[in-house]
Amino acid sequence: MSRFLLFCFVFCGLLVPDPAHAQRRITIKLASLVPENTPWGAALNRMAAEWRTASNGEVELMVYHNGVAGAEGDVLRKLKGNQIQAAILSSFGLNAITPDHAIMTLSCPFLIRNNEELDLVLNNLKPDLEARINREGFFTLAWSKAGWVRFFSKQPIFTPTDLRRQKLGTSEQEPALMDAFKAMGYQMVPVAMNQALVYLNGGMIDVVYQSPINVGGLQIFGVAKNMASINIAPFMGGIVMNQAAWRSIPEKHKPALLRIAKRLETELDTSIQQLETSAISTMKNYGLKINEVSPAQEQLWYDDMNRAIPSLLGNTFNRELYEKIEALLRAHRGGR
């Protein structure tokens, strides 16, 4: 009898999976402030599905859409504490990771002026920017151009003089842009962007600077019925993971997961540009007026910023990166 029991134990033991050979599932929780029913939301859901397939189910990406993980500051704290492992961050969130103001330099007003110039800068400086982020304990999966920041105002704006007559609402979460506009002598009024419509209706502010996509979503254009055609700055976003989470993923899967993230980066760029164009077109149908800024008027904005720049480099914007961007753009514009 004892021999029979011993045989059963041995036989059954052969059928029990060895934990060392059992499939190891890694769960990556990704926080997004963006609504799920947007190109960003759809792209993240595709990314989750494709990561699962590419890793044979070993890497599970769980996306928390719609800001359920908290505001960007909360998300950063959770990311550092490994309560979540990945997040979509705006340029302001990415800048908070790096202590040298490098990322925010991309959004210096009137420095980078169109998509062609933005592509040139990113193609040349993305490795440097990613290295700065990675040195702080993070890993950059993808970047996204999330549209252009524009002026939306009650009264038309064509020149800096027009803006100086009006009160400019600014988010306290965007200190770099606030500092830049203060240095140019504008009347700044701190306001949470979800309260911008209340402030506009109450006469506490006359102008905001936001992406057309945000303005459309917040219905700001119902009061601020004018949009200046000039691009103020690119609005950037990125997907980052903390280094501990990235290291936990088996090396054999990393190349495929990165390829998926980079492909979605390209798809998102196209989707966001289409969404921005559509948002402007829809707002025009509901009464938005586009104030076409002439080349001569554009130059007034550029000259205004150039006068303020010396006081901002080293404090608000990274001097080394600004000089690299300026050199690239100077060569590009001179070659036309």
Side-chain angles (χ1 to χ4, degrees):
M1 184 68 176
S2 61
R3 288 182 179 179
F4 175 73
L5 290 173
L6 178 62
F7 170 77
C8 287
F9 285 137
V10 171
F11 180 74
C12 290
L14 293 174
L15 297 180
V16 175
D18 180 355
H21 292 88
Q23 188 183 56
R24 177 179 171 227
R25 177 171 293 178
I26 297 160
T27 300
I28 304 295
K29 298 175 183 177
L30 187 151
S32 170
L33 294 173
V34 184
E36 187 172 4
N37 62 341
T38 62
W40 261 109
L44 291 174
N45 288 339
R46 287 199 307 275
M47 182 173 158
E50 292 183 28
W51 272 28
R52 188 183 307 116
T53 300
S55 66
N56 297 317
E58 287 186 55
V59 180
E60 186 78 17
L61 185 64
M62 295 177 62
V63 183
Y64 294 84
H65 299 280
N66 307 309
V68 296
E72 198 161 49
D74 301 320
V75 166
L76 276 169
R77 285 191 293 274
K78 291 177 181 178
L79 193 57
K80 292 175 181 178
N82 205 39
Q83 293 171 272
I84 58 171
Q85 291 73 45
I88 292 183
L89 298 176
S90 70
S91 53
F92 307 108
L94 293 172
N95 194 61
I97 289 174
T98 57
D100 58 2
H101 312 292
I103 306 300
M104 206 62 237
T105 308
L106 292 172
S107 296
C108 176
F110 311 115
L111 175 59
I112 302 171
R113 299 172 185 173
N114 53 51
N115 283 318
E116 183 183 354
E117 293 187 352
L118 181 56
D119 287 338
L120 171 72
V121 169
L122 289 178
N123 289 340
N124 281 272
L125 298 183
K126 206 183 288 184
D128 179 13
L129 295 169
E130 291 181 356
R132 291 171 189 264
I133 292 171
N134 296 355
R135 282 198 297 268
E136 301 302 320
F138 298 91
F139 184 81
T140 311
L141 289 171
W143 294 80
S144 175
K145 296 172 287 191
W148 288 87
V149 176
R150 310 276 187 93
F151 290 123
F152 289 83
S153 57
K154 292 179 179 179
Q155 300 299 321
I157 291 175
F158 295 93
T159 68
T161 300
D162 295 332
L163 182 57
R164 287 194 178 91
R165 298 190 187 106
Q166 305 186 50
K167 296 185 290 282
L168 177 57
T170 179
S171 170
E172 291 181 328
Q173 296 179 345
E174 303 169 3
L177 288 180
M178 185 190 294
D179 289 347
F181 286 120
K182 275 185 179 178
M184 287 188 278
Y186 301 122
Q187 303 177 61
M188 310 301 295
V189 179
V191 54
M193 278 302 108
N194 60 0
Q195 293 294 308
L197 199 53
V198 175
Y199 276 59
L200 284 162
N201 276 317
M204 291 172 280
I205 60 173
D206 307 300
V207 189
V208 295
Y209 51 85
Q210 279 286 308
S211 76
I213 296 170
N214 286 351
V215 166
L218 294 169
Q219 299 290 298
I220 288 171
F221 67 94
V223 180
K225 294 180 180 291
N226 293 273
M227 183 189 84
S229 63
I230 191 169
N231 291 330
I232 300 173
F235 191 59
M236 299 294 300
I239 307 176
V240 300
M241 290 179 69
N242 62 42
Q243 287 280 9
W246 180 246
R247 286 194 297 267
S248 73
I249 296 175
E251 291 295 329
K252 63 181 179 180
H253 295 317
K254 287 180 179 178
L257 302 188
L258 271 177
R259 279 196 299 273
I260 292 166
K262 295 300 183 186
R263 176 166 50 78
L264 289 178
E265 175 185 294
T266 303
E267 292 175 6
L268 266 173
D269 286 348
T270 301
S271 296
I272 293 296
Q273 287 180 38
Q274 292 172 347
L275 184 61
E276 184 177 73
T277 300
S278 176
I280 293 172
S281 177
T282 299
M283 288 188 289
K284 283 177 67 177
N285 291 338
Y286 284 90
L288 180 72
K289 299 172 185 175
I290 310 299
N291 308 140
E292 294 293 344
V293 179
S294 71
Q297 290 169 333
E298 285 182 346
Q299 192 59 50
L300 294 175
W301 292 101
Y302 305 149
D303 292 343
D304 217 30
M305 188 68 242
N306 288 336
R307 283 190 289 271
I309 272 293
S311 67
L312 296 168
L313 293 182
N315 299 308
T316 304
F317 302 115
N318 182 280
R319 182 182 299 276
E320 176 193 2
L321 199 65
Y322 180 91
E323 290 173 350
K324 286 181 180 180
I325 293 172
E326 189 181 41
L328 282 168
L329 295 176
R330 188 166 54 245
H332 173 70
R333 292 165 188 162
R336 290 181 178 178

